[in-house]
Amino acid sequence: SRQKWCCMKSSLLGSEGKMRLRILVAGTVQGVGFRPFAYRLARRLGLDGWVANTTEGLLVEAEGTKENVDAFAVRLIDEAPDSSRIERVARQTIPVTGERGFHIRTSLAGGLRYPTLPADLAICADCSRELWDPRDRRFRYPFLTCTRCGPRFSILTDLPYDRSRTTLNRFPLCPACLAEYQDPADRRFHAAALACPSCGPRAALWDVHGRVLAEDEGALAQACQMVANGLVLAVKGLGGFQLWVDACSETAVRRLRDRKRRPHKPFAVLFPSLQAVEEACLVSPEESALLASPQAPIVLLRRRRSSGLAAAVAPGNAFVGAMLPYSPLHVLLAAELNGPAVATSGNRSDEPIAIEEHDALARLGEIADAYLVHDRPIARPVDDSVARILPSGPLILRRARGYVPSPIALPEELRRRRAPVSILAVGGHLKNTIALAAGDQVTVSQHLGDLSTPEASAAFRQAIDDFTRLLDVKPAAIACDLHPDYRSTQYARELAERLAVPVIPVQHHHAHIASCMAEHNLGGEVLGVAWDGAGYGPDRTIWGGEFLVAGYGTFRRCARWRPFRLPGGEAAVREPRRSALAVLWETFGEEAVNLVRGFEQPGQVQAVTSLLRQQVQSPVTSSMGRVFDAVASMLGLCQVASFEGQAAMAVEHAASEAWEKAAGEVGYPVEIVKDLEHPGTRMIDWRPMVRAIQEDLRTGIAPGLIALRFHLALADSIHRVAQRAGLPRVVLSGGCFQNGLLVELIRRRLAGAGFDVFTHREIPPNDGGLSLGQAAVVCARWTGRVEGQ
């Protein structure tokens, strides 16, 4: 009634015409200076009340005149700190209390937890100025930080995010730091990672036996001298150890390659400044902005011929992974070296990066000549992120430092009808990540790597324990890959039995498409193109060149690339020449033995041909990744690969160089025919393309032009299938779509025909995105009780 409303309004506004508003801000709002910002804003507007971190996000109660409270509510969001990421805002008018003053309260630990874990951020401009100011008490201090930058996720031990819940809790604040921490006007007000030379972490240089060689400034100076002298230095950074050598010394880089047993895979290079990057690489404004962003990832850039970098940094590769110093320690080392340094992950092949000093001594003992360490503990390994800029925007290839654990909003279609349960998704076997769906969000872990070693498997299990503890989640179901032999799948079944919850397998390529759909908040059905190296199909064959009509809950295969056999199985993954022999065998029969390249030893061709002839140890696949391998071998670009994707990268680089010079080129022919094994689906027959490639090789056409025509053929095949499918939205996912040229050729072709094309931006298209897709699929199946394929 009107009388009741008037009474309620009077109690809410109070006797002096004031009002009180409670605001909950959820998202990445902790560890980014949001509480001090809210405090200062409230004080400027003359408001009373308080602000606190909670397990749900940031909670504020503001009391004052309606005009000022309304202004506060708007400016709190519009002027939020740059590094925050607001996912949800809830406002509620509550009775006035007559409280006086505005305060920052102790964090509130109760209530439902939402995934609002803060990411590690690169050093800010203010801290950079202090680092080089001789008058500042933190002059040249390697661990200075403030509310706008520094370690977050890598030091977090519990929620809500406060100093007492970080690994810095072992460092009591000195009087000067405590004064800053308690001063609302200071940018270090409630900065959890606050430190200075008097009370904070310190650096030391160790020899290979763990004996201290130098400390503080002396440690940094001697460490840089070792790098300048060509030695391998293990550096304890923000989220783990890195291995550093002089990037301009061919001898030093080759020494690192030999010791790390990494013959070809490109190394990341840390440059002292953006100017130094521009002297060595071609850099667009978008790439410059990404390099200098708070996330500060490794960015793939085209290398100049006059770069001065050792050829061994990225053998046979036109690109280099460049990054800028993102912590004060990195800034000081880079300035002292005054030149580029290789700064690659501190691990042995297929192992997680080391985060603890004595573990590094044991695991890196055959690689490093010395260790630059510090006594700030790292809570969990967080590798460097890797990204590239395409004409259509940024593409994350490895999501870790700077981006993790910023959550992904659950798609609206799933939010509307999902049950209030939490889902754990354990990802795949390669480039593993895990994901937790809780509330309206999915939190995807940092890159955990390949689960091929006991150390990697242990790190994977630890990450699951870590995330479920931090987010206070007991999963109601566990999502995994359909492949029964993946270590992630095996552990999912073990954990599900222990927790007495169901385990729900998700087909590999369905998860790929669902991950991209979730990232773009797509609903309904799309045409999903899932191209990668391998994924277990429901028919127990190896899929990888798939066209799926897919939603979150279900999918159906509408087309695939013609399957062929992989002679030797896993051996064919390591040897592109085997894939080449297989597609030539399918196309030319016995004549293939005279056409294949790359087999040096007598009898090798005959031995592999025998496997094809007898159809033994030769699983059937439709993998587009293996088609790339075959083309790389046919063109003489890669016969034996030492890392995943090496052959495909070589084909992309060759095609990209030709694309810059060619005009009016058309793709090789492919045929779309009925798939006799799967009625109602289509099959893309690549044999006409293989015949055309062989003809171009015979007539001396340049490998780069052949590689370009191959890419154009792939774009054409997707366009033709999209026209047949009749769906307006096309989603591209899977490792093949790390290929920037392929993505842009497809996008141009489809956009020109009126299709909406969706590719990954925030989540990798490779297997690093599987966990997000698995979580989305299981959320859909859980709510809709759909069994799926």
Side-chain angles (χ1 to χ4, degrees):
S1 69
R2 179 177 178 83
Q3 183 178 4
K4 181 178 180 181
W5 164 245
C6 289
C7 292
M8 182 183 296
K9 182 178 180 182
S10 176
S11 66
L12 290 174
L13 287 178
S15 59
E16 300 177 6
K18 290 185 176 182
M19 70 174 293
R20 189 176 184 92
L21 190 65
R22 176 179 292 157
I23 307 172
L24 174 66
V25 186
T28 306
V29 294
Q30 298 183 18
V32 293
F34 217 124
R35 285 181 301 171
F37 157 69
Y39 174 92
R40 288 190 287 268
L41 178 61
R43 294 289 295 267
R44 283 197 298 271
L45 292 171
L47 301 179
D48 303 307
W50 52 266
V51 59
N53 280 339
T54 76
T55 51
E56 297 180 68
L58 187 89
L59 188 62
V60 188
E61 289 192 8
E63 182 174 318
T65 65
K66 183 178 186 304
E67 179 183 4
N68 285 354
V69 170
D70 287 344
F72 175 81
V74 171
R75 293 176 64 182
L76 184 71
I77 306 306
D78 290 350
E79 300 173 14
D82 291 341
S83 299
S84 65
R85 176 173 171 169
I86 297 172
E87 301 288 349
R88 182 170 58 91
V89 179
R91 299 180 180 90
Q92 178 187 10
T93 302
I94 59 177
V96 298
T97 67
E99 181 177 4
R100 290 290 180 261
F102 198 92
H103 312 281
I104 291 183
R105 284 191 175 182
T106 303
S107 296
L108 307 176
L112 177 67
R113 291 198 180 197
Y114 284 87
T116 56
L117 312 180
D120 301 306
L121 301 175
I123 183 172
C124 69
D126 287 333
C127 283
S128 293
R129 282 192 291 271
E130 289 177 345
L131 187 67
W132 297 115
D133 184 356
R135 299 164 298 177
D136 194 278
R137 68 190 185 92
R138 292 186 177 89
F139 174 57
R140 293 184 60 84
Y141 179 56
F143 309 104
L144 87 168
T145 182
C146 70
T147 55
R148 303 169 194 163
C149 67
R152 303 288 194 273
F153 182 55
S154 61
I155 60 171
L156 179 69
T157 58
D158 202 357
L159 287 179
Y161 179 70
D162 274 317
R163 185 179 181 86
S164 62
R165 299 180 183 90
T166 72
T167 61
L168 271 296
N169 66 354
R170 63 188 288 181
F171 298 93
L173 294 175
C174 67
C177 283
L178 184 60
E180 292 172 330
Y181 189 82
Q182 296 174 337
D183 181 2
D186 197 286
R187 78 175 196 283
R188 292 190 170 92
F189 183 43
H190 282 251
L194 177 61
C196 80
S198 298
C199 64
R202 297 176 61 185
L205 183 67
W206 290 4
D207 67 11
V208 293
H209 302 292
R211 293 182 295 233
V212 177
L213 301 176
E215 293 181 319
D216 302 325
E217 284 281 0
L220 272 60
Q222 286 192 39
C224 289
Q225 189 59 54
M226 287 179 168
V227 173
N229 291 341
L231 299 182
V232 178
L233 179 70
V235 177
K236 185 181 179 185
L238 200 69
F241 275 84
Q242 296 171 321
L243 294 166
W244 284 41
V245 295
D246 181 355
C248 297
S249 169
E250 189 75 16
T251 301
V253 177
R254 290 194 177 277
R255 179 182 294 118
L256 177 57
R257 287 203 175 279
D258 291 342
R259 292 182 182 180
K260 203 175 180 187
R261 299 177 185 175
R262 185 169 155 179
H264 303 109
K265 190 175 183 180
F267 284 141
V269 178
L270 185 140
F271 291 86
S273 65
L274 185 57
Q275 180 182 348
V277 178
E278 292 171 339
E279 290 172 357
C281 306
L282 301 174
V283 188
S284 69
E286 294 79 10
E287 289 164 338
S288 294
L290 188 57
L291 282 165
S293 69
Q295 292 74 31
I298 298 168
V299 180
L300 300 188
L301 303 173
R302 185 171 288 277
R303 179 168 46 179
R304 295 183 186 273
R305 295 186 185 276
S306 58
S307 69
L309 297 175
V313 164
N317 197 318
F319 288 79
V320 62
M323 62 176 160
L324 292 176
Y326 53 82
S327 77
L329 178 62
H330 286 79
V331 171
L332 293 170
L333 292 174
E336 181 73 18
L337 288 170
N338 196 30
V342 165
T344 191
S345 302
N347 58 1
R348 293 181 298 204
S349 181
D350 296 327
E351 289 186 3
I353 58 174
I355 63 172
E356 194 275 328
E357 294 85 347
H358 292 91
D359 180 49
L361 285 175
R363 290 171 50 201
L364 306 179
E366 297 179 355
I367 303 175
D369 295 304
Y371 298 78
L372 182 63
V373 302
H374 58 75
D375 56 353
R376 183 178 69 201
I378 298 172
R380 60 192 55 80
V382 186
D383 217 329
D384 295 316
S385 294
V386 181
R388 68 184 301 184
I389 294 290
L390 305 181
S392 55
L395 173 65
I396 302 296
L397 302 176
R398 184 170 76 192
R399 189 171 182 267
R401 177 187 51 76
Y403 297 96
V404 172
S406 298
I408 304 296
L410 200 66
E412 185 179 353
E413 176 181 310
L414 300 180
R415 292 201 301 269
R416 285 199 307 263
R417 58 190 181 92
R418 69 166 302 205
V421 297
S422 300
I423 306 295
L424 168 66
V426 298
H429 187 77
L430 303 177
K431 297 179 173 63
N432 179 267
T433 61
I434 65 164
L436 271 173
D440 291 338
Q441 298 173 328
V442 183
T443 303
V444 181
S445 77
Q446 72 273 31
H447 167 85
L448 299 172
D450 301 350
L451 306 184
S452 302
T453 64
E455 293 83 1
S457 293
F460 158 74
R461 295 180 182 216
Q462 180 59 45
I464 292 175
D465 293 343
D466 194 30
F467 269 74
T468 53
R469 180 186 59 80
L470 282 175
L471 299 177
D472 196 21
V473 165
K474 179 188 176 183
I478 300 177
C480 67
D481 194 89
L482 194 62
H483 200 302
D485 295 332
Y486 280 3
R487 289 191 176 178
S488 56
T489 300
Q490 294 169 349
Y491 183 65
R493 297 191 183 281
E494 176 187 327
L495 182 61
E497 183 176 355
R498 191 161 72 240
L499 298 177
V501 300
V503 59
I504 304 175
V506 177
Q507 200 279 324
H508 190 93
H509 300 95
H510 186 200
H512 270 309
I513 300 305
S515 71
C516 192
M517 290 179 65
E519 185 181 329
H520 290 280
N521 191 25
L522 301 181
E525 284 191 335
V526 302
L527 173 64
V529 185
W531 287 358
D532 63 3
Y536 196 70
D539 58 0
R540 300 186 179 182
T541 64
I542 302 172
W543 288 19
E546 313 309 317
F547 297 83
L548 310 177
V549 174
Y552 292 111
T554 62
F555 76 94
R556 63 178 178 84
R557 191 192 219 179
C558 67
R560 61 170 175 164
W561 275 66
R562 178 187 173 91
F564 58 96
R565 291 190 174 272
L566 288 179
E570 283 296 317
V573 177
R574 297 187 296 270
E575 300 177 31
R577 60 193 181 185
R578 289 179 180 249
S579 291
L581 181 53
V583 300
L584 291 169
W585 180 269
E586 287 283 330
T587 307
F588 298 104
E590 294 284 352
E591 178 62 17
V593 297
N594 299 317
L595 301 174
V596 73
R597 308 168 68 175
F599 290 94
E600 297 92 5
Q601 301 298 323
Q604 284 182 322
V605 173
Q606 288 74 15
V608 177
T609 303
S610 178
L611 297 178
L612 292 170
R613 190 180 291 112
Q614 298 176 46
Q615 298 186 1
V616 295
Q617 299 178 35
S618 302
V620 173
T621 186
S622 56
S623 167
M624 179 55 66
R626 303 290 78 80
V627 174
F628 266 94
D629 285 355
V631 172
S633 173
M634 292 165 68
L635 299 184
L637 300 175
C638 181
Q639 304 298 352
V640 178
S642 64
F643 66 92
E644 185 192 13
Q646 180 179 352
M649 288 170 58
V651 177
E652 178 190 357
H653 296 155
S656 296
E657 292 183 0
W659 172 247
E660 294 171 0
K661 304 170 186 175
E665 285 293 329
V666 296
Y668 289 119
V670 295
E671 295 180 2
I672 300 181
V673 299
K674 290 183 179 179
D675 189 340
L676 300 180
E677 294 182 20
H678 302 277
T681 66
R682 296 283 170 170
M683 185 171 69
I684 295 139
D685 190 346
W686 38 258
R687 290 177 297 179
M689 177 179 70
V690 173
R691 294 189 187 98
I693 289 174
Q694 283 300 125
E695 179 60 21
D696 277 355
L697 286 170
R698 188 189 65 80
T699 57
I701 299 297
L705 189 54
I706 295 174
L708 174 59
R709 291 173 179 174
F710 167 65
H711 278 72
L712 290 167
L714 301 188
D716 179 61
S717 73
I718 292 179
H719 178 218
R720 291 165 65 185
V721 172
Q723 287 180 315
R724 287 178 177 272
L727 292 168
R729 298 175 300 173
V730 180
V731 169
L732 309 179
S733 189
C736 290
F737 296 113
Q738 297 174 111
N739 181 324
L741 176 62
L742 179 62
V743 168
E744 292 311 310
L745 290 175
I746 294 167
R747 185 180 289 278
R748 291 186 186 190
R749 188 72 180 271
L750 293 179
F755 292 95
D756 292 323
V757 184
F758 296 89
T759 56
H760 288 273
R761 293 288 184 86
E762 297 183 60
I763 295 294
N766 56 46
D767 284 5
L770 285 177
S771 61
L772 172 62
Q774 291 170 353
V777 168
V778 171
C779 283
R781 292 181 180 177
W782 190 269
T783 56
R785 300 296 181 184
V786 177
E787 293 301 323
Q789 283 89 337

